[in-house]
Amino acid sequence: MNISELARILRISPQELKNLLPEFGFSVGKKAIKVDNNTAKKIIRDWPRLRREWENKKIDEEKQKAIEDLPKEKKIIEVPKSVSVRDYADLAGIPINRVLTELMKNGVFASINEKIDFDTAMIVGENLNLEVKEADNTLDEDDKEEKKLENILSKEEEGNLEERPPVIVVMGHVDHGKTRLLDTIRSTDVIGGEAGGITQHIGAYQINRKNNKLTFIDTPGHEAFTAMRSRGAKVADIAILVVAADDGVKQQTVEAFQIIKAANIPYLVAINKIDKEAADVNRVKQELSTELNIIPEDWGGKTICSNISALEKEGIEEMLDMILLLSETESGSLHANPNTKAAGTVIESNVDKAVGPLATILVQNGTLRVGDQLCFNGVIYGKVKSLKNYNGEEITEAGPSMPAKVLGLKIAPSIGDILTVGDGEKVKANKIKSRNNRNSAMYNTSSEEVADSDISKFNIIIKADFLGSAEAIEESLMKLNNEKVKVKILSKGLGYITEGDVKRAEDSEAQILGFNVKTPPAVETQIREKQITVKTFSVIYDLIKYAKEQMQLLIKPEINRIDLGSLKVLAIFRTENDNQIVGGKVVDGVARNNSFVEVIRDDNFIALGKITQLQSAKQDVKEVEKGVECGIKFEGKPVIEEGDILKFYQEEKIIGKL
Ligand code: GDP
């Protein structure tokens, strides 16, 4: 009998069976594909006992292994406020899988690159023979990153420093005109350009203003800014808080302002859409004062408020002058050393199907050049093959405050990652590690991540109107995770659904779930072309319900055997190469057409096949009951003999519930 056939009867994998046979005292070669029928019979007969022994042994081994993996004596480890599973395992000196299992037991379905907080680390540690202490003064990874850039800048000698353009970010509530303002400032129709595919969006651009350069971060919404801030990178020197004159202070205005305040950078308020009939600048100022404690200059406060119409290009010149003023008076020294190796921050990152990973770097110190080696977190990601500026033109170098699109990366970095330039040593494949992309795409999965590949995953990208809702959604989704299916959030961000989101969704076969966000028409075209599933919701409950339905579809069914009955073979009517027609009497239960058939002789399994035709009184029937004679067509190896017992069963797919 074929080993695979025997394995199927025993309901274990052929490989497991092969491994087991010697343990049970049956010697078979490693490459054997058959066992003799006597051996097979014996194994089938003894299987209930053998299985028990085997399972007990397995449990013992696992228990033993689980203990061996752990430190012999309680080990004290110090972990930061948050730590990736990988780093935790490294610190503890315990295999990652062991840590993952323990996390799962505690309802945490983390992947190796995901971070766990200190409390989780401590609870899990108890069962891993660890005493987990919070590391004193230990910088969280992200803080280290921030310090890296600060260190680079602080080590520069004053004599080497030169002035650099200010970097400006535009923030505010959706629809208040951020895109239009950036567009007007650039004096290029960004919205029209997007549809026509002329304007290059690389995440930032520069303009010249009275012999000064100004760099604008060109990603409307708070997403990029928040992402960069939360990774500890400081990119913007000045913020413009846009508030529509006809709409006033809204939820995202408040949130944008909190972000600006936390970043501790100078800002001005652009009161936009003053061309509109419903515009009421005074009302906006009133709301700014009462809700945000922003007192406009002309009301005796400190905050510059520029009345503008991004649409009619009104007040823009004056506003830009105010920005220059702010950069001179408030930003302090905006300096960098252009004559050194580049350091900067990733402000956009995606994977292009044709050219591979692409990232926009805002250079913050030094000069980035073609040929430079790109390192993030001390890991080599590739070499600059080409650099493009915000006009899509090839350039050979990018100096301080200049954004440049970089080609030549082996993997996509995350938004907010700090770039440093290496000294050119060769890229070693094993040095390119998978990293946690907290706010951006997760493009690369390392082989270790395959560990939980048995669990189906619902890959999603979340876009929401404000941080609170994104977090509430994430929290609710995480509660749906179980051992059969898991939600994998590849990125979560605020604001419009962007081209980057669509690319990311395409690369990782993810769906985009939006909450109170819009999709610009140009992006909508892409979504259609790439056939990405994008769903937007205005009620969190509906979003969660949809996610639940999708997860339900991903649950792999379990196969359950249902025994139907048996028949005693009384006559063989016809035997062909791959089928037999036999007659017999149902001795137990029923015989049912299209069911599986086990051929049993003297209590021993002989072969497996299927009934493809069932006749009673010369009529095709679906089922025949106990005591009735019938004829069946058996598809399978034609081994049936008179006197054999045919056992019928069906397999039922059981779809687990969430
Ligand atoms: P964002 O969501 O903040 O980026 O807003 P958009 O720039 O996409 O603008 C939202 C809508 O307001 C668009 O239809 C713009 O054309 C319109 N808009 C932007 N600025 C002005 C303005 O100054 N006046 C008027 N009347 N409409 C504007």
Side-chain angles (χ1 to χ4, degrees), residues 542-599:
D542 291 342
L543 187 152
I544 303 302
K545 190 165 155 241
Y546 172 77
K548 223 169 163 177
E549 284 161 9
Q550 295 296 303
M551 287 169 78
Q552 182 67 58
L553 296 177
L554 288 173
I555 295 181
K556 291 176 190 155
E558 278 175 26
I559 308 287
N560 196 20
R561 172 178 165 140
I562 303 166
D563 288 314
L564 299 170
S566 44
L567 168 142
K568 182 159 187 174
V569 178
L570 302 174
I572 310 293
F573 298 125
R574 201 167 80 204
T575 298
E576 287 182 1
N577 271 346
D578 53 4
N579 69 68
Q580 273 182 304
I581 295 182
V582 304
K585 188 173 184 174
V586 180
V587 289
D588 186 21
V590 294
R592 189 176 296 160
N593 196 17
N594 289 322
S595 55
F596 290 105
V597 181
E598 277 175 356
V599 181

Side-chain angles (χ1 to χ4, degrees), residues 96-97 100-101 104 108-114 445-457 481-488 556:
I96 289 176
N97 277 343
L100 286 172
T101 313
M104 246 191 258
V108 181
F109 295 90
S111 71
I112 55 171
N113 289 316
E114 267 164 350
T445 39
S446 73
S447 56
E448 292 131 289
E449 259 178 54
V450 181
D452 63 347
S453 63
D454 273 347
I455 304 173
S456 305
K457 289 199 193 71
N481 283 346
N482 58 49
E483 68 285 357
K484 296 191 190 99
V485 59
K486 198 176 145 179
V487 181
K488 187 162 177 186
K556 291 176 190 155

